[in-house]
Amino acid sequence: MNDFSELENELRKLRPARPSPVLFQRIGEALENYRAGASPAGQPGRLLYTWWSLGFGLAAAAILVVFAVINFQSTHERREAIAASSAPQPETRTLPRGMEQSTSPGRFVSAGGAHVVYNARDEGLHFANGSERPVRRVRYQTEQTWRWRNPETGASLRVSYPSEEIMLIPVSGQ
Amino acid sequence: MEPIASHENWKNCFSEVAPGLLLFARQWVHSAADAEDVVQEAFVKFWRRNHNIDNRALLYSAVRSIALDFVRRDIRRARRETTVFSEVEPAIEPHFELEDDTQSALAAAVDCLPCDQREVLVLKIWNDLTFSEIAGTLGISQNTAASRYRYALSNLKKSLQPQ
C-alpha cells in the first residue's frame, strides 16, 4: 500500500515498557474502594452532596416563605390600624350607635361623614308655650352622610339620610 | 454481545491496553511513575462508569486529558494545549524495551518527532487505533490524523537514513 510498510513493521517490533505490578494493585484497590462506596470522589459522594444541597435549598426556601407570610400579615394589620386612626375623628365620634352595629365591624372602618345644610327657612317670631318673650323659629333642612371603607378590598359603604332641625332663637327687645 | 466494562474482567482488558496507554501518557509526563498515575486515574474513571470497552477513543481521550492537566499542574501554568506540548522536556526514562542498537536508534527517532505527529504514531502503531478512533481521541479530522501519521513516518525514514 505504501512505502512505509517496512518501517511500520520495525516500529511494531518496538515493545512499550510494561507497567509495574504495583499499578495493577493500585487500580484493583481503587475499583474495590469504589465498589465499597469509599471513594470520596466517586459518584455516590457527589450524589450525597447533591441531596444535601437540595435539602438545604428547600429548607431555606421554606424559611423565606414563612418570613414572607409573617411580614405580609403584620403589614396588613399595620395598614388597618393606620386607616382606622387616620379617619376623621369628629365624624367617628358622632357616628350613630346603631350604624356601627349594622356594618361588619372587623372589615369596614369609618372614613368620615358630612353634614350639609341645603335649606334654611326663617319662620318668623313666635311665642313658644305662652312665653312672653318672642323667639325666632328657623327651620334647617339637612342631609347627613356617613362613609365606611374596607382597606383590604377597597370596598366602600355610604349612608345618607335627610334630617330637619328647628331652632328657636330668643329675640331680645331693643 | 457488546463487551461492556465490568468489575470482573478489568485485569484482562487492562493487561492488553496498559503498555500502549502508558506509552501514550509518556508523551506528556516526564517519568514512568507519573505516567502510571495518569493511566490509573483515567482507567479507573473509565471503568467505573461502565463504558463500552470497544469505545477506546474515550479511554485514550481520558488519558490525554488527565495527562495535560497533570502537566499544567506540574508547570503551574495553564496555557493552551499547543504551548504545553512545546514545553514538555524530553523524557529521560526509556519508553521501550530495547533489544539492540537498531531499536535504540528507532526509539530515539520517535522521541524526536514533533508532538502532534508522535501522538498519532503512538496511537496507530502501539495501540492499534483506527484513524477514526484517533480522530475522536485527539479531536481532529480523520484526514488530519492520516496526514500526521504519514508525516511522522516520512520524518522517521529521513532521520534513519544514513547521512
Side-chain angles (χ1 to χ4, degrees), chain A residues 3-4 7-8 11 14-20 24 26-28 34, chain B residues 10 14-15 22 36-37 40 48 95-97 99 103 126 149 153 157:
Chain A
D3 301 334
F4 302 117
L7 179 59
E8 286 176 315
L11 287 169
L14 283 175
R15 287 183 299 170
R18 293 180 183 179
S20 63
F24 283 86
R26 282 162 45 190
I27 291 177
Y34 170 70
Chain B
W10 73 266
F14 186 68
S15 298
L22 282 172
E36 288 193 351
D37 287 344
Q40 177 188 340
R48 73 186 185 191
H95 296 182
F96 299 98
E97 296 176 350
E99 296 177 354
Q103 288 195 344
W126 293 285
Y149 180 70
L153 293 178
K157 199 169 185 178

PDB file of all heavy atoms in Angstrom, chain A residues 3-4 7-8 11 14-20 24 26-28 34, chain B residues 10 14-15 22 36-37 40 48 95-97 99 103 126 149 153 157:
ATOM      1  N   ASP A   3       4.981   3.121   1.027  1.00  0.00           N
ATOM      2  CA  ASP A   3       6.421   2.895   1.116  1.00  0.00           C
ATOM      3  C   ASP A   3       6.889   2.687   2.544  1.00  0.00           C
ATOM      4  O   ASP A   3       8.076   2.480   2.765  1.00  0.00           O
ATOM      5  CB  ASP A   3       7.158   4.097   0.513  1.00  0.00           C
ATOM      6  CG  ASP A   3       6.765   4.307  -0.937  1.00  0.00           C
ATOM      7  OD1 ASP A   3       6.372   3.314  -1.582  1.00  0.00           O
ATOM      8  OD2 ASP A   3       6.837   5.459  -1.406  1.00  0.00           O
ATOM      9  N   PHE A   4       5.976   2.761   3.464  1.00  0.00           N
ATOM     10  CA  PHE A   4       6.379   2.733   4.864  1.00  0.00           C
ATOM     11  C   PHE A   4       6.087   1.404   5.549  1.00  0.00           C
ATOM     12  O   PHE A   4       6.194   1.304   6.764  1.00  0.00           O
ATOM     13  CB  PHE A   4       5.650   3.844   5.638  1.00  0.00           C
ATOM     14  CG  PHE A   4       5.895   5.219   5.101  1.00  0.00           C
ATOM     15  CD1 PHE A   4       4.855   5.986   4.582  1.00  0.00           C
ATOM     16  CD2 PHE A   4       7.176   5.759   5.108  1.00  0.00           C
ATOM     17  CE1 PHE A   4       5.085   7.252   4.101  1.00  0.00           C
ATOM     18  CE2 PHE A   4       7.401   7.041   4.620  1.00  0.00           C
ATOM     19  CZ  PHE A   4       6.357   7.793   4.106  1.00  0.00           C
ATOM     20  N   LEU A   7       9.004   0.121   7.524  1.00  0.00           N
ATOM     21  CA  LEU A   7       9.223   0.954   8.718  1.00  0.00           C
ATOM     22  C   LEU A   7       8.160   0.670   9.780  1.00  0.00           C
ATOM     23  O   LEU A   7       8.464   0.586  10.979  1.00  0.00           O
ATOM     24  CB  LEU A   7       9.216   2.427   8.316  1.00  0.00           C
ATOM     25  CG  LEU A   7       9.417   3.440   9.434  1.00  0.00           C
ATOM     26  CD1 LEU A   7      10.747   3.206  10.154  1.00  0.00           C
ATOM     27  CD2 LEU A   7       9.348   4.858   8.891  1.00  0.00           C
ATOM     28  N   GLU A   8       6.929   0.492   9.346  1.00  0.00           N
ATOM     29  CA  GLU A   8       5.855   0.179  10.295  1.00  0.00           C
ATOM     30  C   GLU A   8       6.125  -1.136  11.005  1.00  0.00           C
ATOM     31  O   GLU A   8       5.884  -1.269  12.219  1.00  0.00           O
ATOM     32  CB  GLU A   8       4.512   0.137   9.569  1.00  0.00           C
ATOM     33  CG  GLU A   8       3.975   1.510   9.174  1.00  0.00           C
ATOM     34  CD  GLU A   8       2.695   1.410   8.373  1.00  0.00           C
ATOM     35  OE1 GLU A   8       2.643   0.562   7.454  1.00  0.00           O
ATOM     36  OE2 GLU A   8       1.759   2.157   8.659  1.00  0.00           O
ATOM     37  N   LEU A  11       8.711  -0.568  13.560  1.00  0.00           N
ATOM     38  CA  LEU A  11       8.153   0.139  14.727  1.00  0.00           C
ATOM     39  C   LEU A  11       7.349  -0.808  15.621  1.00  0.00           C
ATOM     40  O   LEU A  11       7.410  -0.723  16.852  1.00  0.00           O
ATOM     41  CB  LEU A  11       7.265   1.297  14.256  1.00  0.00           C
ATOM     42  CG  LEU A  11       7.993   2.518  13.663  1.00  0.00           C
ATOM     43  CD1 LEU A  11       6.995   3.462  12.995  1.00  0.00           C
ATOM     44  CD2 LEU A  11       8.782   3.251  14.740  1.00  0.00           C
ATOM     45  N   LEU A  14       9.107  -2.679  18.238  1.00  0.00           N
ATOM     46  CA  LEU A  14       9.434  -1.983  19.499  1.00  0.00           C
ATOM     47  C   LEU A  14       8.319  -2.251  20.508  1.00  0.00           C
ATOM     48  O   LEU A  14       7.149  -1.975  20.241  1.00  0.00           O
ATOM     49  CB  LEU A  14       9.551  -0.472  19.253  1.00  0.00           C
ATOM     50  CG  LEU A  14      10.817   0.060  18.594  1.00  0.00           C
ATOM     51  CD1 LEU A  14      10.665   1.560  18.349  1.00  0.00           C
ATOM     52  CD2 LEU A  14      12.019  -0.201  19.468  1.00  0.00           C
ATOM     53  N   ARG A  15       8.699  -2.777  21.642  1.00  0.00           N
ATOM     54  CA  ARG A  15       7.689  -3.080  22.658  1.00  0.00           C
ATOM     55  C   ARG A  15       7.700  -2.003  23.730  1.00  0.00           C
ATOM     56  O   ARG A  15       8.748  -1.728  24.337  1.00  0.00           O
ATOM     57  CB  ARG A  15       7.978  -4.445  23.295  1.00  0.00           C
ATOM     58  CG  ARG A  15       7.661  -5.606  22.349  1.00  0.00           C
ATOM     59  CD  ARG A  15       7.897  -6.909  23.042  1.00  0.00           C
ATOM     60  NE  ARG A  15       9.301  -7.050  23.446  1.00  0.00           N
ATOM     61  CZ  ARG A  15       9.751  -8.024  24.240  1.00  0.00           C
ATOM     62  NH1 ARG A  15       8.908  -8.919  24.723  1.00  0.00           N
ATOM     63  NH2 ARG A  15      11.029  -8.099  24.561  1.00  0.00           N
ATOM     64  N   PRO A  16       6.557  -1.372  23.956  1.00  0.00           N
ATOM     65  CA  PRO A  16       6.493  -0.344  25.006  1.00  0.00           C
ATOM     66  C   PRO A  16       6.806  -0.944  26.372  1.00  0.00           C
ATOM     67  O   PRO A  16       6.571  -2.140  26.620  1.00  0.00           O
ATOM     68  CB  PRO A  16       5.045   0.144  24.937  1.00  0.00           C
ATOM     69  CG  PRO A  16       4.544  -0.296  23.614  1.00  0.00           C
ATOM     70  CD  PRO A  16       5.281  -1.545  23.265  1.00  0.00           C
ATOM     71  N   ALA A  17       7.325  -0.103  27.228  1.00  0.00           N
ATOM     72  CA  ALA A  17       7.634  -0.561  28.581  1.00  0.00           C
ATOM     73  C   ALA A  17       6.363  -1.030  29.280  1.00  0.00           C
ATOM     74  O   ALA A  17       5.303  -0.421  29.143  1.00  0.00           O
ATOM     75  CB  ALA A  17       8.274   0.586  29.361  1.00  0.00           C
ATOM     76  N   ARG A  18       6.492  -2.102  30.023  1.00  0.00           N
ATOM     77  CA  ARG A  18       5.324  -2.668  30.704  1.00  0.00           C
ATOM     78  C   ARG A  18       5.055  -1.925  32.012  1.00  0.00           C
ATOM     79  O   ARG A  18       5.978  -1.407  32.637  1.00  0.00           O
ATOM     80  CB  ARG A  18       5.556  -4.150  30.993  1.00  0.00           C
ATOM     81  CG  ARG A  18       5.614  -4.978  29.734  1.00  0.00           C
ATOM     82  CD  ARG A  18       5.845  -6.435  30.052  1.00  0.00           C
ATOM     83  NE  ARG A  18       5.961  -7.221  28.845  1.00  0.00           N
ATOM     84  CZ  ARG A  18       6.190  -8.527  28.839  1.00  0.00           C
ATOM     85  NH1 ARG A  18       6.361  -9.171  29.982  1.00  0.00           N
ATOM     86  NH2 ARG A  18       6.264  -9.184  27.705  1.00  0.00           N
ATOM     87  N   PRO A  19       3.821  -1.919  32.389  1.00  0.00           N
ATOM     88  CA  PRO A  19       3.502  -1.268  33.669  1.00  0.00           C
ATOM     89  C   PRO A  19       4.011  -2.098  34.842  1.00  0.00           C
ATOM     90  O   PRO A  19       4.166  -3.322  34.730  1.00  0.00           O
ATOM     91  CB  PRO A  19       1.976  -1.199  33.662  1.00  0.00           C
ATOM     92  CG  PRO A  19       1.557  -2.299  32.756  1.00  0.00           C
ATOM     93  CD  PRO A  19       2.628  -2.424  31.716  1.00  0.00           C
ATOM     94  N   SER A  20       4.241  -1.432  35.931  1.00  0.00           N
ATOM     95  CA  SER A  20       4.711  -2.141  37.122  1.00  0.00           C
ATOM     96  C   SER A  20       3.549  -2.924  37.749  1.00  0.00           C
ATOM     97  O   SER A  20       2.381  -2.531  37.610  1.00  0.00           O
ATOM     98  CB  SER A  20       5.254  -1.135  38.127  1.00  0.00           C
ATOM     99  OG  SER A  20       4.230  -0.280  38.555  1.00  0.00           O
ATOM    100  N   PHE A  24      -1.267  -2.511  38.794  1.00  0.00           N
ATOM    101  CA  PHE A  24      -2.432  -3.400  38.834  1.00  0.00           C
ATOM    102  C   PHE A  24      -3.049  -3.388  40.236  1.00  0.00           C
ATOM    103  O   PHE A  24      -4.266  -3.340  40.399  1.00  0.00           O
ATOM    104  CB  PHE A  24      -2.022  -4.816  38.435  1.00  0.00           C
ATOM    105  CG  PHE A  24      -1.841  -4.983  36.956  1.00  0.00           C
ATOM    106  CD1 PHE A  24      -0.645  -4.681  36.340  1.00  0.00           C
ATOM    107  CD2 PHE A  24      -2.885  -5.451  36.167  1.00  0.00           C
ATOM    108  CE1 PHE A  24      -0.474  -4.838  34.984  1.00  0.00           C
ATOM    109  CE2 PHE A  24      -2.730  -5.612  34.805  1.00  0.00           C
ATOM    110  CZ  PHE A  24      -1.514  -5.295  34.203  1.00  0.00           C
ATOM    111  N   ARG A  26      -2.825  -1.071  42.510  1.00  0.00           N
ATOM    112  CA  ARG A  26      -3.448   0.224  42.822  1.00  0.00           C
ATOM    113  C   ARG A  26      -4.798   0.368  42.143  1.00  0.00           C
ATOM    114  O   ARG A  26      -5.769   0.855  42.747  1.00  0.00           O
ATOM    115  CB  ARG A  26      -2.510   1.354  42.386  1.00  0.00           C
ATOM    116  CG  ARG A  26      -1.372   1.573  43.366  1.00  0.00           C
ATOM    117  CD  ARG A  26      -0.238   2.362  42.752  1.00  0.00           C
ATOM    118  NE  ARG A  26      -0.680   3.523  41.988  1.00  0.00           N
ATOM    119  CZ  ARG A  26       0.128   4.248  41.214  1.00  0.00           C
ATOM    120  NH1 ARG A  26       1.395   3.916  41.097  1.00  0.00           N
ATOM    121  NH2 ARG A  26      -0.326   5.282  40.577  1.00  0.00           N
ATOM    122  N   ILE A  27      -4.866  -0.059  40.877  1.00  0.00           N
ATOM    123  CA  ILE A  27      -6.148   0.044  40.174  1.00  0.00           C
ATOM    124  C   ILE A  27      -7.182  -0.878  40.819  1.00  0.00           C
ATOM    125  O   ILE A  27      -8.356  -0.503  40.987  1.00  0.00           O
ATOM    126  CB  ILE A  27      -5.962  -0.284  38.680  1.00  0.00           C
ATOM    127  CG1 ILE A  27      -5.150   0.825  38.007  1.00  0.00           C
ATOM    128  CG2 ILE A  27      -7.298  -0.450  37.981  1.00  0.00           C
ATOM    129  CD1 ILE A  27      -4.831   0.577  36.554  1.00  0.00           C
ATOM    130  N   GLY A  28      -6.730  -2.082  41.197  1.00  0.00           N
ATOM    131  CA  GLY A  28      -7.647  -3.006  41.871  1.00  0.00           C
ATOM    132  C   GLY A  28      -8.196  -2.416  43.158  1.00  0.00           C
ATOM    133  O   GLY A  28      -9.395  -2.514  43.437  1.00  0.00           O
ATOM    134  N   TYR A  34     -14.191   1.903  45.179  1.00  0.00           N
ATOM    135  CA  TYR A  34     -15.368   2.478  44.536  1.00  0.00           C
ATOM    136  C   TYR A  34     -16.580   1.576  44.743  1.00  0.00           C
ATOM    137  O   TYR A  34     -17.682   2.043  45.042  1.00  0.00           O
ATOM    138  CB  TYR A  34     -15.110   2.658  43.047  1.00  0.00           C
ATOM    139  CG  TYR A  34     -16.361   3.015  42.294  1.00  0.00           C
ATOM    140  CD1 TYR A  34     -16.957   4.259  42.457  1.00  0.00           C
ATOM    141  CD2 TYR A  34     -16.957   2.101  41.437  1.00  0.00           C
ATOM    142  CE1 TYR A  34     -18.103   4.585  41.776  1.00  0.00           C
ATOM    143  CE2 TYR A  34     -18.110   2.423  40.758  1.00  0.00           C
ATOM    144  CZ  TYR A  34     -18.677   3.667  40.931  1.00  0.00           C
ATOM    145  OH  TYR A  34     -19.821   3.993  40.262  1.00  0.00           O
TER     146      TYR A  34
ATOM    147  N   TRP B  10     -11.603  -6.620  34.476  1.00  0.00           N
ATOM    148  CA  TRP B  10     -10.791  -5.422  34.221  1.00  0.00           C
ATOM    149  C   TRP B  10      -9.321  -5.759  34.037  1.00  0.00           C
ATOM    150  O   TRP B  10      -8.616  -5.101  33.272  1.00  0.00           O
ATOM    151  CB  TRP B  10     -10.970  -4.406  35.347  1.00  0.00           C
ATOM    152  CG  TRP B  10     -10.321  -4.749  36.657  1.00  0.00           C
ATOM    153  CD1 TRP B  10     -10.888  -5.382  37.711  1.00  0.00           C
ATOM    154  CD2 TRP B  10      -8.970  -4.482  37.035  1.00  0.00           C
ATOM    155  NE1 TRP B  10     -10.000  -5.538  38.724  1.00  0.00           N
ATOM    156  CE2 TRP B  10      -8.807  -4.989  38.341  1.00  0.00           C
ATOM    157  CE3 TRP B  10      -7.882  -3.881  36.414  1.00  0.00           C
ATOM    158  CZ2 TRP B  10      -7.593  -4.906  39.027  1.00  0.00           C
ATOM    159  CZ3 TRP B  10      -6.684  -3.787  37.089  1.00  0.00           C
ATOM    160  CH2 TRP B  10      -6.545  -4.292  38.390  1.00  0.00           C
ATOM    161  N   PHE B  14      -7.145  -4.499  30.983  1.00  0.00           N
ATOM    162  CA  PHE B  14      -6.052  -3.569  31.266  1.00  0.00           C
ATOM    163  C   PHE B  14      -4.711  -4.142  30.828  1.00  0.00           C
ATOM    164  O   PHE B  14      -3.839  -3.404  30.364  1.00  0.00           O
ATOM    165  CB  PHE B  14      -6.034  -3.222  32.755  1.00  0.00           C
ATOM    166  CG  PHE B  14      -5.034  -2.162  33.108  1.00  0.00           C
ATOM    167  CD1 PHE B  14      -5.196  -0.858  32.668  1.00  0.00           C
ATOM    168  CD2 PHE B  14      -3.908  -2.465  33.857  1.00  0.00           C
ATOM    169  CE1 PHE B  14      -4.279   0.122  32.985  1.00  0.00           C
ATOM    170  CE2 PHE B  14      -2.977  -1.487  34.171  1.00  0.00           C
ATOM    171  CZ  PHE B  14      -3.166  -0.191  33.726  1.00  0.00           C
ATOM    172  N   SER B  15      -4.539  -5.446  30.979  1.00  0.00           N
ATOM    173  CA  SER B  15      -3.282  -6.065  30.553  1.00  0.00           C
ATOM    174  C   SER B  15      -3.041  -5.844  29.069  1.00  0.00           C
ATOM    175  O   SER B  15      -1.899  -5.655  28.637  1.00  0.00           O
ATOM    176  CB  SER B  15      -3.307  -7.569  30.839  1.00  0.00           C
ATOM    177  OG  SER B  15      -3.425  -7.793  32.217  1.00  0.00           O
ATOM    178  N   LEU B  22       0.354   3.501  28.651  1.00  0.00           N
ATOM    179  CA  LEU B  22       1.498   4.130  29.321  1.00  0.00           C
ATOM    180  C   LEU B  22       2.377   4.880  28.328  1.00  0.00           C
ATOM    181  O   LEU B  22       2.843   5.994  28.600  1.00  0.00           O
ATOM    182  CB  LEU B  22       2.318   3.068  30.051  1.00  0.00           C
ATOM    183  CG  LEU B  22       1.736   2.589  31.381  1.00  0.00           C
ATOM    184  CD1 LEU B  22       2.543   1.410  31.911  1.00  0.00           C
ATOM    185  CD2 LEU B  22       1.746   3.719  32.399  1.00  0.00           C
ATOM    186  N   GLU B  36       2.070   6.296  35.071  1.00  0.00           N
ATOM    187  CA  GLU B  36       1.218   5.291  35.717  1.00  0.00           C
ATOM    188  C   GLU B  36       0.105   5.961  36.520  1.00  0.00           C
ATOM    189  O   GLU B  36      -1.021   5.464  36.562  1.00  0.00           O
ATOM    190  CB  GLU B  36       2.074   4.385  36.603  1.00  0.00           C
ATOM    191  CG  GLU B  36       2.958   3.441  35.792  1.00  0.00           C
ATOM    192  CD  GLU B  36       3.553   2.337  36.647  1.00  0.00           C
ATOM    193  OE1 GLU B  36       3.416   2.411  37.881  1.00  0.00           O
ATOM    194  OE2 GLU B  36       4.139   1.400  36.060  1.00  0.00           O
ATOM    195  N   ASP B  37       0.435   7.068  37.155  1.00  0.00           N
ATOM    196  CA  ASP B  37      -0.612   7.803  37.885  1.00  0.00           C
ATOM    197  C   ASP B  37      -1.717   8.264  36.930  1.00  0.00           C
ATOM    198  O   ASP B  37      -2.909   8.151  37.233  1.00  0.00           O
ATOM    199  CB  ASP B  37      -0.001   9.022  38.593  1.00  0.00           C
ATOM    200  CG  ASP B  37       0.829   8.620  39.797  1.00  0.00           C
ATOM    201  OD1 ASP B  37       0.691   7.465  40.252  1.00  0.00           O
ATOM    202  OD2 ASP B  37       1.633   9.452  40.264  1.00  0.00           O
ATOM    203  N   GLN B  40      -3.701   5.251  35.675  1.00  0.00           N
ATOM    204  CA  GLN B  40      -4.571   4.720  36.721  1.00  0.00           C
ATOM    205  C   GLN B  40      -5.838   5.561  36.860  1.00  0.00           C
ATOM    206  O   GLN B  40      -6.960   5.035  36.890  1.00  0.00           O
ATOM    207  CB  GLN B  40      -3.833   4.689  38.059  1.00  0.00           C
ATOM    208  CG  GLN B  40      -4.720   4.221  39.206  1.00  0.00           C
ATOM    209  CD  GLN B  40      -4.048   4.387  40.558  1.00  0.00           C
ATOM    210  OE1 GLN B  40      -2.832   4.502  40.644  1.00  0.00           O
ATOM    211  NE2 GLN B  40      -4.846   4.389  41.603  1.00  0.00           N
ATOM    212  N   ARG B  48     -15.226   2.503  35.994  1.00  0.00           N
ATOM    213  CA  ARG B  48     -16.327   2.545  36.955  1.00  0.00           C
ATOM    214  C   ARG B  48     -17.574   3.182  36.356  1.00  0.00           C
ATOM    215  O   ARG B  48     -18.648   3.078  36.932  1.00  0.00           O
ATOM    216  CB  ARG B  48     -15.910   3.290  38.210  1.00  0.00           C
ATOM    217  CG  ARG B  48     -15.790   4.773  38.051  1.00  0.00           C
ATOM    218  CD  ARG B  48     -15.230   5.380  39.321  1.00  0.00           C
ATOM    219  NE  ARG B  48     -15.207   6.823  39.250  1.00  0.00           N
ATOM    220  CZ  ARG B  48     -14.589   7.597  40.114  1.00  0.00           C
ATOM    221  NH1 ARG B  48     -13.934   7.054  41.118  1.00  0.00           N
ATOM    222  NH2 ARG B  48     -14.619   8.892  40.013  1.00  0.00           N
ATOM    223  N   HIS B  95      11.153   4.561  26.871  1.00  0.00           N
ATOM    224  CA  HIS B  95       9.749   4.250  26.633  1.00  0.00           C
ATOM    225  C   HIS B  95       9.556   2.819  26.175  1.00  0.00           C
ATOM    226  O   HIS B  95       8.450   2.309  26.236  1.00  0.00           O
ATOM    227  CB  HIS B  95       9.183   5.192  25.573  1.00  0.00           C
ATOM    228  CG  HIS B  95       9.165   6.624  25.989  1.00  0.00           C
ATOM    229  ND1 HIS B  95       8.665   7.621  25.198  1.00  0.00           N
ATOM    230  CD2 HIS B  95       9.596   7.241  27.119  1.00  0.00           C
ATOM    231  CE1 HIS B  95       8.781   8.787  25.813  1.00  0.00           C
ATOM    232  NE2 HIS B  95       9.353   8.568  26.975  1.00  0.00           N
ATOM    233  N   PHE B  96      10.619   2.218  25.685  1.00  0.00           N
ATOM    234  CA  PHE B  96      10.506   0.905  25.069  1.00  0.00           C
ATOM    235  C   PHE B  96      11.474  -0.080  25.723  1.00  0.00           C
ATOM    236  O   PHE B  96      12.461   0.322  26.369  1.00  0.00           O
ATOM    237  CB  PHE B  96      10.815   0.995  23.567  1.00  0.00           C
ATOM    238  CG  PHE B  96       9.883   1.892  22.809  1.00  0.00           C
ATOM    239  CD1 PHE B  96      10.241   3.198  22.509  1.00  0.00           C
ATOM    240  CD2 PHE B  96       8.641   1.425  22.387  1.00  0.00           C
ATOM    241  CE1 PHE B  96       9.392   4.027  21.809  1.00  0.00           C
ATOM    242  CE2 PHE B  96       7.784   2.257  21.691  1.00  0.00           C
ATOM    243  CZ  PHE B  96       8.162   3.566  21.399  1.00  0.00           C
ATOM    244  N   GLU B  97      11.146  -1.323  25.559  1.00  0.00           N
ATOM    245  CA  GLU B  97      12.076  -2.380  25.980  1.00  0.00           C
ATOM    246  C   GLU B  97      12.991  -2.670  24.791  1.00  0.00           C
ATOM    247  O   GLU B  97      12.611  -3.385  23.864  1.00  0.00           O
ATOM    248  CB  GLU B  97      11.286  -3.620  26.396  1.00  0.00           C
ATOM    249  CG  GLU B  97      10.412  -3.369  27.622  1.00  0.00           C
ATOM    250  CD  GLU B  97       9.562  -4.574  27.967  1.00  0.00           C
ATOM    251  OE1 GLU B  97       9.498  -5.521  27.158  1.00  0.00           O
ATOM    252  OE2 GLU B  97       8.947  -4.555  29.045  1.00  0.00           O
ATOM    253  N   GLU B  99      16.119  -3.928  22.482  1.00  0.00           N
ATOM    254  CA  GLU B  99      16.899  -5.152  22.371  1.00  0.00           C
ATOM    255  C   GLU B  99      18.250  -4.932  21.701  1.00  0.00           C
ATOM    256  O   GLU B  99      19.200  -5.670  21.947  1.00  0.00           O
ATOM    257  CB  GLU B  99      16.088  -6.197  21.595  1.00  0.00           C
ATOM    258  CG  GLU B  99      14.806  -6.606  22.321  1.00  0.00           C
ATOM    259  CD  GLU B  99      13.988  -7.582  21.500  1.00  0.00           C
ATOM    260  OE1 GLU B  99      14.361  -7.846  20.334  1.00  0.00           O
ATOM    261  OE2 GLU B  99      12.960  -8.063  22.009  1.00  0.00           O
ATOM    262  N   GLN B 103      17.024  -0.769  17.391  1.00  0.00           N
ATOM    263  CA  GLN B 103      15.794  -0.347  18.071  1.00  0.00           C
ATOM    264  C   GLN B 103      16.032   0.933  18.883  1.00  0.00           C
ATOM    265  O   GLN B 103      15.143   1.767  18.980  1.00  0.00           O
ATOM    266  CB  GLN B 103      15.292  -1.478  18.971  1.00  0.00           C
ATOM    267  CG  GLN B 103      14.706  -2.644  18.177  1.00  0.00           C
ATOM    268  CD  GLN B 103      13.905  -3.577  19.066  1.00  0.00           C
ATOM    269  OE1 GLN B 103      14.018  -3.530  20.295  1.00  0.00           O
ATOM    270  NE2 GLN B 103      13.122  -4.443  18.441  1.00  0.00           N
ATOM    271  N   TRP B 126       1.223   1.400  18.329  1.00  0.00           N
ATOM    272  CA  TRP B 126       1.293   0.609  19.566  1.00  0.00           C
ATOM    273  C   TRP B 126      -0.039   0.491  20.311  1.00  0.00           C
ATOM    274  O   TRP B 126      -0.088  -0.145  21.349  1.00  0.00           O
ATOM    275  CB  TRP B 126       2.344   1.205  20.494  1.00  0.00           C
ATOM    276  CG  TRP B 126       3.713   1.062  19.920  1.00  0.00           C
ATOM    277  CD1 TRP B 126       4.443  -0.097  19.872  1.00  0.00           C
ATOM    278  CD2 TRP B 126       4.494   2.067  19.291  1.00  0.00           C
ATOM    279  NE1 TRP B 126       5.645   0.135  19.239  1.00  0.00           N
ATOM    280  CE2 TRP B 126       5.706   1.457  18.876  1.00  0.00           C
ATOM    281  CE3 TRP B 126       4.321   3.414  19.019  1.00  0.00           C
ATOM    282  CZ2 TRP B 126       6.710   2.157  18.218  1.00  0.00           C
ATOM    283  CZ3 TRP B 126       5.321   4.108  18.373  1.00  0.00           C
ATOM    284  CH2 TRP B 126       6.486   3.479  17.981  1.00  0.00           C
ATOM    285  N   TYR B 149       0.173  11.069  10.473  1.00  0.00           N
ATOM    286  CA  TYR B 149       0.811   9.746  10.515  1.00  0.00           C
ATOM    287  C   TYR B 149       1.820   9.610   9.384  1.00  0.00           C
ATOM    288  O   TYR B 149       2.955   9.132   9.579  1.00  0.00           O
ATOM    289  CB  TYR B 149      -0.273   8.675  10.425  1.00  0.00           C
ATOM    290  CG  TYR B 149       0.246   7.260  10.454  1.00  0.00           C
ATOM    291  CD1 TYR B 149       0.794   6.734  11.615  1.00  0.00           C
ATOM    292  CD2 TYR B 149       0.177   6.443   9.322  1.00  0.00           C
ATOM    293  CE1 TYR B 149       1.274   5.431  11.661  1.00  0.00           C
ATOM    294  CE2 TYR B 149       0.650   5.145   9.350  1.00  0.00           C
ATOM    295  CZ  TYR B 149       1.195   4.645  10.519  1.00  0.00           C
ATOM    296  OH  TYR B 149       1.669   3.363  10.557  1.00  0.00           O
ATOM    297  N   LEU B 153       5.925   9.071   9.685  1.00  0.00           N
ATOM    298  CA  LEU B 153       6.702   8.009   9.048  1.00  0.00           C
ATOM    299  C   LEU B 153       7.756   8.593   8.113  1.00  0.00           C
ATOM    300  O   LEU B 153       8.896   8.098   8.052  1.00  0.00           O
ATOM    301  CB  LEU B 153       5.762   7.071   8.280  1.00  0.00           C
ATOM    302  CG  LEU B 153       4.801   6.245   9.137  1.00  0.00           C
ATOM    303  CD1 LEU B 153       3.888   5.403   8.245  1.00  0.00           C
ATOM    304  CD2 LEU B 153       5.577   5.326  10.095  1.00  0.00           C
ATOM    305  N   LYS B 157      11.719   8.075   8.538  1.00  0.00           N
ATOM    306  CA  LYS B 157      12.522   7.491   7.463  1.00  0.00           C
ATOM    307  C   LYS B 157      13.710   8.391   7.125  1.00  0.00           C
ATOM    308  O   LYS B 157      14.845   7.907   6.928  1.00  0.00           O
ATOM    309  CB  LYS B 157      11.632   7.291   6.227  1.00  0.00           C
ATOM    310  CG  LYS B 157      12.185   6.318   5.222  1.00  0.00           C
ATOM    311  CD  LYS B 157      11.136   5.985   4.176  1.00  0.00           C
ATOM    312  CE  LYS B 157      11.674   4.906   3.255  1.00  0.00           C
ATOM    313  NZ  LYS B 157      10.652   4.510   2.250  1.00  0.00           N
TER     314      LYS B 157
END
